Amino acid sequence: MFDFRIPEVSDREWMQPALTASGGMGSEFAFGTLYLWSDAYATKVCKTDDLILRCSGGPMRMTYQLPLGNGSMRDQVERLLADAKERGCKFRIWGLTKEQTEALEQEMPGKFRYQLDRASSDYIYDTQSLIQLSGRKYHSKRNHLSRFQRTYDWSYEDISPDNFKDCIAVARAWCEQNGGCGEEDGTDSENCAIHKAFKYYDALHLSGGLLRIEGKPVAFTVGEEINPETYLLHFEKALSGYEGLYPAINQAFAAQHLESYRYVNREEDLGIEGLRKAKLSYYPAIILEKYVVTLLEETPEIPEE
């Protein structure tokens, strides 16, 4: 049985190089994702001589991710199957791409069910498109941004310890504007993750930007590098009452800091219709589909969309 444990900030030192080397573009390949949401998803990690493992949930409902390290996919999955059997829990792997499901089916045919988890699939954008907003399809985005820049006395600044409290104030005000942060809609967990992000900002190698209007903090974004080609945005919060504020913080931070990256991952839509529409409106270069793998004899847990 693998010796899983709750991740600590110091684990970034040995985990992020392996996550980066894997070549994955999903949000789960950033250590910050694993750590910031560890309370919400009961995330745990394990390091053996030849594998790095991640899981969530438990003890009777473990959800694994594919291990990082040596050995064939078949060997790695068989070791996860053995771990689940020893624990007496259902077997479940989350986060496989379409290509990985096809490879697993080739190596272990007829053993698994593969279900698309569309709500957890990541939206990945061409960085230059987010910065330039050029072409007919971004016409409305450019208009919103231009109107914002003409209408408001605004300023942009990088996030640093000097303005952590201002960002937290924006997050708190956003919660109040949206009915308060509660467990029912997941905003309580997000608020906890935001506080952890600022508490361990430097240790997690995060970066971000803050927008002010007439000196008042009104929007911020925070993210981290997944690999030299892909940057991940963890949080993007903007107060209501200011037209074009989301496009403004999105474009300003990308223009200031993301020029060297080919892609920007803006995470999933959680199955929320309005959020899905907003993310699609920026025309993602890739919708990184993620699949759940279960044994054929076990009951599926992801409803078909």
Side-chain angles (χ1 to χ4, degrees):
M1 187 184 297
F2 292 117
D3 185 19
F4 285 104
R5 61 173 177 80
I6 298 169
E8 301 175 357
V9 173
S10 59
D11 291 322
R12 187 188 189 280
E13 184 175 348
W14 59 267
M15 280 202 74
Q16 190 57 58
L19 291 167
T20 297
S22 72
M25 299 173 69
S27 59
E28 67 273 20
F29 290 94
F31 179 79
T33 300
L34 185 153
Y35 181 76
L36 294 174
W37 295 95
S38 59
D39 293 334
Y41 296 109
T43 307
K44 299 177 182 67
V45 300
C46 175
K47 184 179 183 181
T48 70
D49 290 339
D50 61 341
L51 294 177
I52 293 174
L53 300 107
R54 299 157 290 165
C55 74
S56 60
M60 299 306 296
R61 190 180 182 278
M62 297 276 286
T63 297
Y64 302 95
Q65 293 183 40
L66 275 179
L68 305 173
N70 300 326
S72 67
M73 181 183 290
R74 182 188 183 100
D75 176 64
Q76 291 177 358
V77 171
E78 285 182 340
R79 291 172 72 176
L80 296 182
L81 282 164
D83 186 79
K85 183 176 181 180
E86 192 171 352
R87 294 176 190 276
C89 65
K90 286 187 175 182
F91 177 77
R92 188 173 189 262
I93 308 180
W94 173 88
L96 273 72
T97 64
K98 180 66 173 176
E99 291 74 20
Q100 287 172 324
T101 65
E102 292 169 352
L104 181 56
E105 182 61 22
Q106 272 199 327
E107 294 202 30
M108 305 177 75
K111 191 174 184 67
F112 301 109
R113 175 188 292 105
Y114 307 97
Q115 294 173 278
L116 173 63
D117 185 0
R118 178 63 178 82
S120 296
S121 299
D122 286 343
Y123 291 76
I124 299 176
Y125 302 84
D126 176 79
T127 305
Q128 288 305 313
S129 294
L130 294 183
I131 294 173
Q132 303 296 334
L133 297 176
S134 58
R136 295 174 64 182
K137 64 184 180 180
Y138 290 109
H139 177 73
S140 64
K141 300 294 183 187
R142 291 196 303 275
N143 283 347
H144 284 137
L145 184 59
S146 296
R147 193 175 299 117
F148 173 87
Q149 293 169 339
R150 292 194 309 268
T151 303
Y152 302 107
D153 177 14
W154 66 280
S155 62
Y156 168 89
E157 62 198 64
D158 290 341
I159 292 177
S160 72
D162 293 336
N163 53 32
F164 284 174
K165 288 183 178 180
D166 291 325
C167 295
I168 292 171
V170 171
R172 186 183 306 115
W174 184 92
C175 275
E176 292 170 357
Q177 290 180 346
N178 290 271
C181 288
E183 294 182 4
E184 301 81 14
D185 59 1
T187 50
D188 183 59
S189 296
E190 183 181 48
N191 205 38
C192 177
I194 288 172
H195 278 78
K196 286 174 71 174
F198 290 115
K199 184 176 182 179
Y200 300 107
Y201 193 80
D202 290 335
L204 291 173
H205 295 239
L206 303 177
S207 58
L210 172 70
L211 276 186
R212 298 180 187 271
I213 291 179
E214 296 180 352
K216 175 186 174 181
V218 293
F220 74 88
T221 188
V222 172
E224 68 177 298
E225 178 179 294
I226 296 177
N227 57 55
E229 277 206 333
T230 311
Y231 189 91
L232 172 69
L233 292 178
H234 286 299
F235 310 110
E236 192 174 79
K237 295 295 179 187
L239 302 186
S240 60
Y242 303 97
E243 185 180 357
L245 190 50
Y246 272 109
I249 184 62
N250 185 316
Q251 195 273 342
F253 180 66
Q256 289 286 333
H257 289 286
L258 305 186
E259 184 84 37
S260 64
Y261 296 96
R262 183 178 180 183
Y263 296 112
V264 177
N265 183 328
R266 297 183 67 198
E267 298 190 332
E268 72 280 77
D269 61 34
L270 302 172
I272 301 171
E273 184 178 352
L275 190 55
R276 179 169 296 185
K277 183 177 179 181
K279 289 181 182 289
L280 288 172
S281 74
Y282 275 93
Y283 300 96
I286 301 167
I287 296 180
L288 186 62
E289 294 182 337
K290 299 180 185 181
Y291 286 79
V292 174
V293 179
T294 54
L295 290 168
L296 275 174
E297 65 263 26
E298 294 180 352
T299 305
E301 298 181 16
I302 302 294
E304 297 291 343
E305 292 202 24

